[in-house]
Every structure is written in structure tokens, then in C-alpha cells.
Amino acid sequence: MAFAWMSRLLGRDQSQLQKAIELSKRLVSGAGETGGTIVAQELANCTAALNDEELFQYFRWLVDDMAPDQPVLLVAAQAYVSEPSTLNAARLTEAAEPRRQELLRRLNTAPGGTARIVALRGKLLTLLKAHPELKPLDIDMKHLLASWFNRGFLELRRVDWNTPAAILEKLIVYEAVHAIDGWDDLRGRLAADRRCYGFFHPALPGEPLIFVEVALTNRISDAIAPLLDHPPAGREASPETTAIFYSISNCQPGLRGIGFGNFLIKQITQNLRAETPSLRVFATLSPVPGFRRWLDAGGQQLGTGLARLCAMYLSGVQADGTPGPSRDPVANFHLSNGARLDRINEGADLSAKGQAESCGVMVNYRYVATAIEENHMAFVERGEVRVSPAVARLLRSSTIEP
Amino acid sequence: MAFAWMSRLLGRDQSQLQKAIELSKRLVSGAGETGGTIVAQELANCTAALNDEELFQYFRWLVDDMAPDQPVLLVAAQAYVSEPSTLNAARLTEAAEPRRQELLRRLNTAPGGTARIVALRGKLLTLLKAHPELKPLDIDMKHLLASWFNRGFLELRRVDWNTPAAILEKLIVYEAVHAIDGWDDLRGRLAADRRCYGFFHPALPGEPLIFVEVALTNRISDAIAPLLDHPPAGREASPETTAIFYSISNCQPGLRGIGFGNFLIKQITQNLRAETPSLRVFATLSPVPGFRRWLDAGGQQLGTGLARLCAMYLSGVQADGTPGPSRDPVANFHLSNGARLDRINEGADLSAKGQAESCGVMVNYRYVATAIEENHMAFVERGEVRVSPAVARLLRSSTIEP
Amino acid sequence: MAFAWMSRLLGRDQSQLQKAIELSKRLVSGAGETGGTIVAQELANCTAALNDEELFQYFRWLVDDMAPDQPVLLVAAQAYVSEPSTLNAARLTEAAEPRRQELLRRLNTAPGGTARIVALRGKLLTLLKAHPELKPLDIDMKHLLASWFNRGFLELRRVDWNTPAAILEKLIVYEAVHAIDGWDDLRGRLAADRRCYGFFHPALPGEPLIFVEVALTNRISDAIAPLLDHPPAGREASPETTAIFYSISNCQPGLRGIGFGNFLIKQITQNLRAETPSLRVFATLSPVPGFRRWLDAGGQQLGTGLARLCAMYLSGVQADGTPGPSRDPVANFHLSNGARLDRINEGADLSAKGQAESCGVMVNYRYVATAIEENHMAFVERGEVRVSPAVARLLRSSTIEP
Amino acid sequence: MAFAWMSRLLGRDQSQLQKAIELSKRLVSGAGETGGTIVAQELANCTAALNDEELFQYFRWLVDDMAPDQPVLLVAAQAYVSEPSTLNAARLTEAAEPRRQELLRRLNTAPGGTARIVALRGKLLTLLKAHPELKPLDIDMKHLLASWFNRGFLELRRVDWNTPAAILEKLIVYEAVHAIDGWDDLRGRLAADRRCYGFFHPALPGEPLIFVEVALTNRISDAIAPLLDHPPAGREASPETTAIFYSISNCQPGLRGIGFGNFLIKQITQNLRAETPSLRVFATLSPVPGFRRWLDAGGQQLGTGLARLCAMYLSGVQADGTPGPSRDPVANFHLSNGARLDRINEGADLSAKGQAESCGVMVNYRYVATAIEENHMAFVERGEVRVSPAVARLLRSSTIEP
């Protein structure tokens, strides 16, 4: 029985969890209830006060007891099986929506409700590995969040030294690629020849969802350290021709998998072009986080030369020399967004992390406006990785000869 | 066959419709496609250019061809019928989502996409009466819009003479209860002793979704004309004690049935109280739009006296004297929001519309903070209409004696 | 004795005036007084309540009793006369500042103080003609206002249909050149092919100081009626190449003579160019308000042909054929701003006012970026009016031959 | 001859200085010149590039050559001496205005002109001590700045963690009383139980003019260290009843002597009261920066006990026991603003600076709303220092007995 596990709970735990469940029931059942927002607010506060064990039990309750109504769904499914008409499909769609979706929509009406739901999903994701039975809840949460954080509702904003400190400090916390070492370091990242953009949602006004750091330079960077220096060693006064995307960080663990990144890079490229017409080249300086693992798993035996091996890894060449899908998450992201693999830089990231994961290699993915669509299609539909002539030469030289 | 009807179409029509369908297919099938926003933008423009007949055909296509995938849904339904487990329910939920929902979510990524979808639903609603087969599409549109226009995403804003003219002119257009006769009349509605509030959504920045007009007075108004006069005949300088909600207008036909009204009145009451602490009484001056129809349909035979008959109509007294659900949409709105039926005013609206629909009667619904919850529950759960002592006396006097 | 005239005043008059004078004395004498703002606020309210006669008396008191301290000034003047050193000059400067300047600065600290002072000067200007003895007060007021409304403190803002109605209605009131006939007319003036800009001051946030109306067309307009039509008869969809400044209105009578107009036109030209790069030509369509008077005063005898006479009038040709300073205020404004006299259009303004003042003639002044500086210098330093070849021909043909 | 000293200058110096002088002449002489703003902009840039010696020479030129026109002033002075009429006074006022005032007003029209003038005065003040002959220039600059930074033009803004970092970093730089040790320290100063307010001017949008730091507590603080700790040792959750103003810092050296501080404290008190109605007590925790110097200069001989001596020092008791004006700048500020001397706290500031200047003593000045006016008048008009009963007792006990 669904509530069986609840008997194990005692004292405060039980009552807090019980309260969350009672409020949830009340919230989901009240038909347009006047007090809806008040109950939603109470439930929001209550879930925020649950400890990890209680939260796990609450999530289980959502999975088990806030599923679609079983008898109703059964009838609708049987009706559709007997007669798969448009009308029966529509009825089945309705019956198949888990009640927890409506519950979450009502929870969202509380002040701060959206932030609460994002936080709940963050917790859920940490539990999911050990508790795959919570997956149905994640499907619903992700479904709702993807709908609410639809690109049409997001706002791209420039982040600079005039941005509120409350937002800036989040960059320090959330920077996932090249750690920001305090406020002075942050200030360097927002200097005159740097750009930073973030996506924001109206319901999370002070929270960046994702942000991108860009350096304006006059050539495609081949190492990360000079970009992180401040004041930059020999920063050029010459006209800026090149935008280097050197860091992309997701900020909200609870929005994992929602994916606004492709729109972000495309839109930033447009903004940069409008703002700084001298810019001609748009490229990344990216890590290769799966490289070391791939080498250790056998890649090493495919030949010699770090750059050659990396080109093979990223272009997805198989052990037998035939092309295959890229295995690197960063590569997948940029290649599916229409970039080409432009250059492989050895010794480009000498940090501990860079050495440990990427063997010090960093890669430039380049976005050429006229080729984006075609590169994207080639990669998505046929798994082909578009590369620059230089990388092509590297790959030819690396063809495995038995 | 679903496309059979398309063969009837010729020339431009066919190609425009064809284009909308092709773009829709492309949009819904592209997996995270780089060009997503561009295709969405093209589809938005294309649907805006469809004429009524084309739109109808496009809607039919959405109903027929953008339904859930039939074989997939059949398998999922059968699996659930054989074993109604949590997992099978989750799979069925996924399979049961019509593909048009994803299509609409992607259309929403276009600049102005949300406005486009609201406009499409507006058109759909006008077609729905004659074409009930389009209902499944309306279910999906309403479902998505209800999720996107969740109260948590709406912003309540005061509208006054400092509001942009582009928004103010919409009040003139949208005012549904007591028509606004041009800018001078509008200005009177926004005078120092008036308040106007609207709900706005971030994706429709210049568009009120619904707005409420309030007059601050020192007694519960018993007629509409003095409220619409400007400058008001003998407007009192005495401290304002009473807020009269005299007009509530929905602005977006495409959002019909989404329902933000109950939260709106509650929140406006809070805002008014904070802003003008002298306010003690919150009441409406409302039309009774179904009264004349009810009289003509037999209500007239229940007794004499316009006020008595109206009290009977609104309190839902049946022909046999027993209570029943109220049949008036305005009454339903306020009673389910927790108001009580406070007073019935004969000769309160002498306009043509007021005479034609409400026989000149207007009603005060009163919101007493401490009783809202209880009134609401009584009405929603037991169909009981709470009334003032005065209305109670009226009703007692009207008990039908054979 | 300075207060002699006060004995004539009686009853409320005396007490209101007396109160204003007492508050003024208190305000100007309190050294950094804590209550400064409160006294300033009271004085602001008090002066707003004075009737015209009281105000006149108050102004006289400011002239007579808030002048520089006579004995102190006498000593300082004598010291400077005996020894005109830098130090004595500085002391004399200090002694020569009328105490009313400090009074006005302190009045300005009241909430709404700046608006109050602007209003007071507006009243003063209406009294000045009949009462030239108030001139010293106007000198001080103008001096202070010119300092406070320094170009460095003004903000140029685009005014359009998204501007608050409270500002837009002021355009209707203040339009001084071509009256705006209500909100529909105003909307036409703010249509897609129109621009409107205003200067604003932070202390008068909802008050335009001056505004300029511009039509974007594809040729230099030769008549006003088509510009005022809406929807415009045959408005062109062709690319806009020409900006026609067709109306410039000062809004604040109390700021007469402060003069922000030259900066305004220059800056609007820059804004327009940045916003609509297709614009190549910047010209006015201006009335010739002194033309009829000039004709009646003898100009008529200088020749025939309305256009020729107008060219003579505007270029300042003397009765004997020699050039002289232009006598037209609008001409002076544009010529001193660096425009050239470009074309004379007969029958361009058939309104009653246009006929009465300008004999129906309107003129294009043209701003050619590369010639502005030189035109300006020629006019300001040598009284030379720069004209187009066409106007030059007209003038040659009009040389008076005895 | 005024330019004599210029012959000493050579090379770049001469040309830069020469350029500043030429631009100044051109700017002040151009009558409403079209290019005014451009010349002003050039002059602004040029003065920013002058080195200290050049700047000094430029200032001397402003004093000597931009004084009132000597012959004109002489005539006006003589006329007034012969006949001191209102009209002659007005003429003398006009003639006595140094031409540099108009020059500065025109410089102000440049973008960033106001900031430039404030910076110039900052430099001037550093030169003034060694070069008292520059005083006439400072009189004019201070005169203009006091007019422009009139309270009516200033905006009081709350500063908190949502304020742009570009403003917050200025707090770190400008904090003059208790140094802020980096961003973490700053964050503590802006915690939930702290308030910070600044005055801003529209022409210096990102620059606080002065700011005040406030701690909300439940008693009048007697030591600074606990207020600067973060997280505060034992910060109370109990309702906040007391606002402690513990730091007031002027930010713009170039605005020294302009004085917005009294309005600031009064207005902050009002804001705090409105925002946190539980606040009842408003007091400072202030240093006594002149105490040590006074002790060393003989104060020490007046008795024993640090608190007693400090009470004597602050209340202005003379060596012979009679009252006199307070000699402490901080005391003068608060007492003239209507505060009373409330309590003297020994060992309240153990920092090096606190020990060196104030012998570790800190003082509470208390603002009692109903007594502010009277305290202020007593101090300003009669030099009386209002004290609490406790300080009165301390003073009685310290009466010097020979």
C-alpha cells in the first residue's frame, strides 16, 4: 500500500511530511479556491523545511499517489484500444496527465513558487541515481519546466560591472569551467574587452539561468591563461576582430536538461555583431572533458601525437578508422549547434583540471554564419563532423595503418 | 484520409496552407535544430497570413495529423491495460501527449510567438461552435496557455494617467461592461478618486489581460451613472471609506476560460488597503446579465417586485422555492470568490444594455475579509449563496405562496 | 519706505502676502536650518495661493527688499573703485548678489520647488510689460533658471505612443505652431513615419520643456497640410530620405529665453541619423510669422512676387538693396543655428493663422552637416544669410532697380 | 601683465595649457554658438590631460583673466556709489559676475561636464592651501556647484546588495570613517539588519555624493566593533527598535563644503520610520576626531576621567568652566542638525585611528523628532549644547573647582 512506508516515520519528521502531503491534497483538489495562493504559499514553505529523508518520502508520495487516476486511465486506455479515434485519443491524453502536474502548476502560483519548484527538481536529480523509481516525477517536472522556461519567455541580458552585486556574486558561484577567484578576478572578466551575457526568466528575476563569457581579441586564442589574466599581459589596442567564447556555465541544477544553450550562442553572436561591427570571427576555446578517459579506455592505442589523437577522438573516428559519433559532451554541444572543429591546441590549459581531464588540450570550435545550418544538419542527420582544412590534414596523417 | 480535403484547395490558398503545414512539420521534427527560432518565426508569419478558410483547414490538420502517434499510443495503452503500473502510466502519459503541444511550444520561441498563439486560439474559439471537431485542439491550446499564464507569471500593475497611451487605448477598446467614450471619458475613469488595475504577462508586455475599474467613495453605490460622470456630480472630498469595483473586463479573447479574475480581486483589495488605509468596505456594482432572459423563461411567474425577483434569480431559488445554483455568470464569479449578495438596486443602470439584459437592476456583491473563505466554501461545496440581512428579508418576503 | 505700499492691503490679502514675506525672511536667514525644507515647502504652497495682486506685491517686495544689502554693497563698491584688485573684485561679486537669489535657491529645496519657481517666473513675465520695475527680479530668476536648466542637465527623450498619457496630453496643450486637434490627431503625429523628441529636466520629470515634431518623407515638403493629414494621403512606402522638422514648441512659459533649441535640433539630427540611416536631408518647414507685418510696414514697395519679397525679407535685404540682419524670429533661430535658407513655398499654409501672419508662405531651412559651422559663423559674426542657389536666383531677380 | 608667467612654460606644457586657454576663450565668447557643446567637450578633455603644474597655471589664468571685466565693473561700481538705486544695483550685480562663471556653465554642457568640474574643484582644493590667491576661483566654483547640487535636484537612494557593483565598489573606496575591507566586509555592511543610503545627482548617475551606514539594533550601541563584525556576534532576532548611524562619508572631494548632510539624516530617519515602523530611537555612534588634539592642547588640565573630559570638550566648556562653541567637527554637524549629546562611551573604538584621534572614545548623538527644531535653534543661535541627563550629571561632576 502506498502509505505503508510512512509508518516508519516518527515525531517531527512524520508531522512535517504529513503536513506537506495534506497541503498538497488540499491544493490539488480545491476547485479555483479563493485561498489557492495561500495554500500554495504554505506548501512552498513546508517543502523548503523538509529534510532529505522527508523530501525523499514526499517525492515517493508524488510518484505513487499523484499519478494519473488509475481507474479513469484504465477506462480511457481501454476505450482507445477498442476504438483509436481522435476523440478517444483526446480523452486519453486528459486522463493520462498525472495529478502532480496540476499540483505543481498550483504550487507555482505562490510568491517564489517557480524558484521553489526549480529547487525541488535540483534535489530530485541528486536522489534520482540511487532511486530510479522517482523517474516519473522527474519526467513531469522536466516537462513543466521546459514549457515554462520556453525560449519565448527568456530574456538575454548583458552582464557587466553595472549589474547588481547580487547577480554578479552568482557568477562567482556558478562558473563551472574556469573558476573565478573572487571579486577582483570577476572584475577582470567584465573588463572593457570582455563580454558576458546571461539568460534570465521573469519569475527568477535575480537568477541567471546560464551565462557565457566572451573575450574580444584579434586572433583565435590558443591558450586559456592569457584570457584569464588581468590586466591582460599585452592586451592589444588593435581593433577587435574575434570573439572567443571561453566559458559557458549552467547556473540552475534544477533546470538540467532544459537546454537554452544553442539559442544563447546564436543570439549572442548577433548581439556582438551589432554592437562591435569590427568582429568577423566567432569561435570558442573549449575543454575536451572526455579526452583523458577516452585515451585510457583504449584510444591511446590508435596512434601517436596528442593533437592527432584528440582530433580522432572529437571527430569520432572509430578504432577501425571509420567515422562515428563524437563522444565528447562539449563537442556534441557545439557541433550540433553548427560549429566546425577548427583547431586543436596542445598545452592550452595547464591547470590541474585541464591536465586531468583534457591532457592540457583545448579546442576551437568556430561558428561561420553561412555554414551553421549545413554543419548542423550534417552532424545531426548523418553524424558527420565538419572540420577545418588543418584538422582534416591532421586526421589524414593519423589514418591507422596496420 | 486526413489530407483528402486538401485536394479541394487551389492556387495561393493551397500554397499558403501547404506552407504552414510544411513549416509545422519541419518545426516539430527538428531535434534542437539551430534554425528552430527562424522556422518558428516563419510559421508565425505564415499563420498570420492565412485567411479564415485556410486557418480552418490548418486547424483541422492540427487535430488530425498532429494528434498523438497512433501506433505508439496504442502500444502504450495496451501495455497499461495489461499492467497498470506506475512505469506504464508514465509511458502512457508521454505517448498520449499530442504532437501539436510540442509544435505550439516551439512556435512560442518565435519573437511575438506567445501573442501569435493567443491570437490563434481567439480564432479557434470563433470556429469551435460550428466545428466541434476542433475541440481536441482547443483542449491542448487551453492547457498550454493555462500553464504559461499561471498566476505565478502574472504581474498586477496599477494603470493610471501615467501609463503609456498604447496601453490606455486598449482599455477603451476592451472595456466590456460600461463603454468608454473616448479619451476624455477615459481620463475621468483614471481620476484621483478612481483606481484601475490590470494583470500583465512578461511575454505580452503592452497588453493587459484583464483590468478592473474601481471608484473610491464614501458609501456603497446604488447606481452606475454617477460613477461614470466626470467631473463627478458632487464628488465628495470626505475620506474615502468604500471601494466599488464597477467594471471587470477580459481583454484577450484567446485567453477565454483561463481565469485570473479571483486572484485579481483579492490582490487588488490588498493593494487598495495598503495604499488607502481609510478604506473599510469593498463591494461591486455589478450587472445581472442573465436576469431578463431568466424572467422571460418563466422567472416572471415566481412573484412580483423586480428586486425580489432578482434576489430569487441570483440566490438560485428554484421554482418550488428550494435553493439551487445561481444561473448568473457574474453572480457565479463573485459568489465563488467569496463575496456575499449584499443589495439589489432597481433603476441602477438606465442604459439600453442595462435595461435590455438586467431590467435596469444592478447588484452589490460585498467582500468581507473575514468571511471570504467561508462564503466561498459554502458556495463551492454546498451551492449556498450568502446574502446580507436585507436581501434575506427580501427573499423571505418572496417565498412563493401557492 | 519699502513697505509703504503694504499699508494699502487689507484682510486675507494682507495676511497671505504677509505670510509669504515672513516665510521668505525666515527661509533666507536660517543658516543651514534643519527645518529649511519645511519652511521652503510652506513658502512654495503660500506663493501658489497668492492671487495676482498679492503676487505683484510679493514680487515688488523681492525687488525692493531682497536686493543686495545696500551698506555692504556700497562699501564693497567703494573699495573696488579705490583699488580694483582681484580680491576686491571677488568681494564685490559676493556683495552684489541679491539676497533673492539665495531665497530662490532655498525655495528650490522644497518638493516641487523647481516647478514652483518656473511657475512664478511665468507669472512674472506676464506682469513685466506693465511693470518694468520688476526687471531686476527677472534678471535673477532667468540667471538661476539658465544655470539649473543647463544643457548638461537636460535629457533628450523620444516621445511616442508608448509615452505616458500625462505627458502626451501636454503636447496637445503646448503645440504652438500647428494645433493638435485631440487624441486622434495626436496619434497621427506619432505614427510610424513621424518622430517626436522632447527635452526633459530631472526636477520636472513629467514636463517636456520643448518638443520637436518631425516627418520622415522622401522629399523636402512644400506644404503643411499633407504633413498634418492622417492617415496621410498617399504616404510613401519608399525609403525615407528626408527629415522635415515641421513644429518646434516651447512648453514652459516660465523658461522663456533660456534657449535649448539649438542643441535640440543638432542632437535630434544625430539621433535620427543613427536610428534611420537612410536619412540624407534634414530641413524644416517653417512659418514666416513676421512677413505680413513687414509687408505692411513698407516691404510691399520693394517689388513684386510673394516669394521674391519673402526672400528679401528673410535674407534681410534693406530698402536700398544692401544686406541687413534678418527680422524674422524663426529665421533668426534657424540661421543662427547654421541652417541655410533653402526654398520659399507660396500657398504652403492656407490656415487662417498662416494667411494672417505669413501670407500663406512657408520656408524650408536646410541643415547640411558639413556647412553648419560656417553658415552659423557667417550669420552670427557678419550677419550674412546663406541661401540655396534657387533662392539666390530669386534674390538676384529681385534686386531693386530704381 | 597677466600672461607674464606663461613665458616660463615650454614645449608640450605650454601647448597643452595654451590649448586649454584658447578653448576657454572661444567657449566663453561664442554667443549661443552651434558648436558650443563640441568646444566644451574639447575643453573638458583638454583640462583632464593637464598635469599639476599646468593645472595650477590654468587656474591662475582663470583667476586673473576670467575675472569680471575691470573697466565695466569700475563704471558700474562708480554709478552705484554715486546713486545706490535698485537699477544700479542690478547693473552692478551683472557686471560683478566673473566671466569664469559663464565659462564653467558652458563647460558643464559637455557630456560628463559636471563630473569634470567636480574633479577640477577637487584639484583646486588641494592647491588652495599653498596658493591662497586661487581663492576667488574657488568662490565661483563652490557657488555654482552649490546651486547645481541644490537639495531639490538630489535623489536619496537605498544602497544594498542589488545595487550595481560599479557603485558598491565606490563605497569601499570612499568609506572615510570605518574602512571597508573588501567585498565580504561590504556585504556584511549591507546585511538584512543594516541599511545604507546615498544621495545621487542626475548628472553623476553612478556616483554617490555622500552615504550613510545604519545598523538596526535593539539598544543604543556603545562600541563600534560589534557593528562591524559579520556575521555579527549574537545579532538579535528581537524586533529592531533602534537605528544607529555609525558612518557618514562624503564621496566627492570636489563637493567639499556643499553640505547635504543635514537633509540626508532627516530624510533617512523618515524613510527608516516608514519602512520599519518598530524603530523608535535614532542615534549615532560617532568618533570624536578632535579630542586627542584638544587634550594635548591643554584640555587635559581641566580635570580627570576620559568621559568627563570628553563631555567638557564636546559641550564646549571653556577653560574657566563657562560654556563655549563646540570645537569638534562631528559634534558641530550633529548638534547643528538638532541632535543632543546623549552618551559618552569609553573604550568604544580600539582601532589605531580611534585611539590616536579620539582616545578610544565614541559618542552617541540622539535625534528625538520632537526636539530637533529646538535643539537646533539653541545650538545655532545661542551656542547651547543640549545633553542627556546622564551627560548633564557628568558635566556637573566635572565643574572645575580651583
Side-chain angles (χ1 to χ4, degrees), chain C residues 307-312 314-315 317 321 340-344 364 385-400:
Chain C
R308 274 165 64 193
L309 283 166
C310 188
M312 293 173 69
L314 290 176
S315 61
V317 170
R340 80 176 187 199
L341 177 54
D342 206 58
R343 196 171 65 193
I344 291 165
N364 304 117
V385 173
R386 292 297 160 95
V387 301
S388 65
V391 172
R393 275 194 300 275
L394 204 59
L395 281 172
R396 272 198 301 277
S397 76
S398 70
T399 306
I400 301 147

Side-chain angles (χ1 to χ4, degrees), chain A residues 93 96-97 105 143 147-148 150, chain B residues 93 96-97 105 143 147 150:
Chain A
T93 303
E97 192 188 89
R105 280 193 292 266
H143 181 86
S147 188
W148 289 342
N150 187 292
Chain B
T93 303
E97 191 188 90
R105 281 193 291 266
H143 180 86
S147 188
N150 186 293

Side-chain angles (χ1 to χ4, degrees), chain A residues 116-340:
Chain A
R116 192 84 276 282
I117 292 169
V118 171
L120 284 174
R121 181 157 184 262
K123 296 262 187 178
L124 176 63
L125 289 174
T126 64
L127 291 169
L128 208 52
K129 231 171 205 172
H131 303 282
E133 72 272 24
L134 299 179
K135 184 73 188 169
L137 174 58
D138 186 49
I139 290 173
D140 290 315
M141 279 194 159
K142 189 177 168 186
H143 181 86
L144 277 175
L145 291 170
S147 188
W148 289 342
F149 287 81
N150 187 292
R151 174 63 191 97
F153 301 139
L154 303 187
E155 188 197 350
L156 182 66
R157 280 195 237 150
R158 171 107 183 254
V159 173
D160 60 20
W161 198 235
N162 277 307
T163 299
I167 290 176
L168 291 184
E169 76 176 343
K170 280 162 191 163
L171 301 201
I172 300 179
V173 173
Y174 293 136
E175 161 67 70
V177 187
H178 307 291
I180 300 177
D181 184 23
W183 286 86
D184 288 337
D185 193 7
L186 175 65
R187 209 191 164 165
R189 306 268 180 119
L190 303 173
D193 61 349
R194 299 300 158 94
R195 295 291 179 276
C196 182
Y197 294 90
F199 261 138
F200 292 80
H201 188 278
L204 302 178
E207 285 285 346
L209 308 183
I210 188 174
F211 66 92
V212 175
E213 295 169 69
V214 187
L216 306 187
T217 69
N218 58 7
R219 56 191 186 82
I220 297 185
S221 304
D222 59 4
I224 190 66
L227 295 184
L228 302 183
D229 272 6
H230 59 96
R235 237 176 232 187
E236 311 84 0
S238 52
E240 290 151 337
T241 59
T242 308
I244 300 295
F245 298 76
Y246 68 95
S247 181
I248 303 178
S249 298
N250 280 291
C251 305
Q252 308 295 333
L255 295 177
R256 196 199 299 160
I258 304 297
F260 355 83
N262 49 347
F263 299 114
L264 183 66
I265 285 200
K266 208 183 133 197
Q267 198 173 333
I268 293 174
T269 301
Q270 288 166 354
N271 286 18
L272 284 168
R273 218 187 285 269
E275 210 182 278
T276 310
S278 64
L279 291 176
R280 297 273 173 272
V281 178
F282 299 85
T284 76
L285 183 62
S286 303
V288 196
F291 186 34
R292 164 82 69 183
R293 212 168 29 226
W294 177 85
L295 285 176
D296 292 349
Q300 221 155 356
Q301 297 149 20
L302 293 183
T304 59
L306 212 51
R308 273 166 65 194
L309 283 165
C310 187
M312 292 172 71
Y313 164 61
L314 290 176
S315 61
V317 170
Q318 308 289 322
D320 63 358
T322 60
S326 174
R327 308 155 184 99
D328 192 79
V330 174
N332 273 335
F333 176 80
H334 291 297
L335 296 172
S336 73
N337 276 317
R340 79 176 187 197

Side-chain angles (χ1 to χ4, degrees), chain B residues 284-342:
Chain B
T284 75
L285 182 62
S286 303
V288 197
F291 185 34
R292 164 82 69 183
R293 210 167 31 227
W294 177 84
L295 284 175
D296 292 348
Q300 221 155 358
Q301 296 149 21
L302 294 182
T304 58
L306 212 51
R308 273 165 65 193
L309 283 165
C310 188
M312 293 172 70
Y313 166 61
L314 291 175
S315 61
V317 170
Q318 309 288 322
D320 63 358
T322 60
S326 174
R327 309 154 182 99
D328 193 78
V330 174
N332 273 335
F333 176 80
H334 290 296
L335 296 172
S336 74
N337 276 316
R340 79 174 188 200
L341 177 55
D342 207 59

Side-chain angles (χ1 to χ4, degrees), chain C residues 141-160:
Chain C
M141 280 194 158
K142 188 177 169 187
H143 180 86
L144 278 175
L145 291 170
S147 188
W148 288 340
F149 287 81
N150 186 293
R151 174 64 191 94
F153 301 139
L154 303 187
E155 188 197 350
L156 183 66
R157 281 195 237 150
R158 172 106 183 254
V159 173
D160 60 20

Side-chain angles (χ1 to χ4, degrees), chain C residues 52 55-56 59 119-131 134 138 253-254 256:
Chain C
D52 283 0
L55 206 52
F56 170 58
F59 286 156
L120 283 173
R121 182 158 182 259
K123 296 260 187 178
L124 176 62
L125 289 174
T126 65
L127 291 168
L128 208 52
K129 230 172 204 173
H131 302 283
L134 298 179
D138 186 49
R256 196 198 298 162

Side-chain angles (χ1 to χ4, degrees), chain B residues 234-250:
Chain B
R235 236 176 234 188
E236 312 84 359
S238 51
E240 290 151 337
T241 59
T242 308
I244 301 294
F245 297 76
Y246 69 94
S247 181
I248 303 178
S249 299
N250 280 292

Side-chain angles (χ1 to χ4, degrees), chain D residues 131-152:
Chain D
H131 302 283
E133 72 273 22
L134 298 178
K135 184 73 189 171
L137 173 58
D138 186 50
I139 291 173
D140 289 316
M141 280 194 158
K142 189 177 169 186
H143 181 87
L144 277 175
L145 291 170
S147 188
W148 289 341
F149 287 81
N150 185 293
R151 174 64 192 96

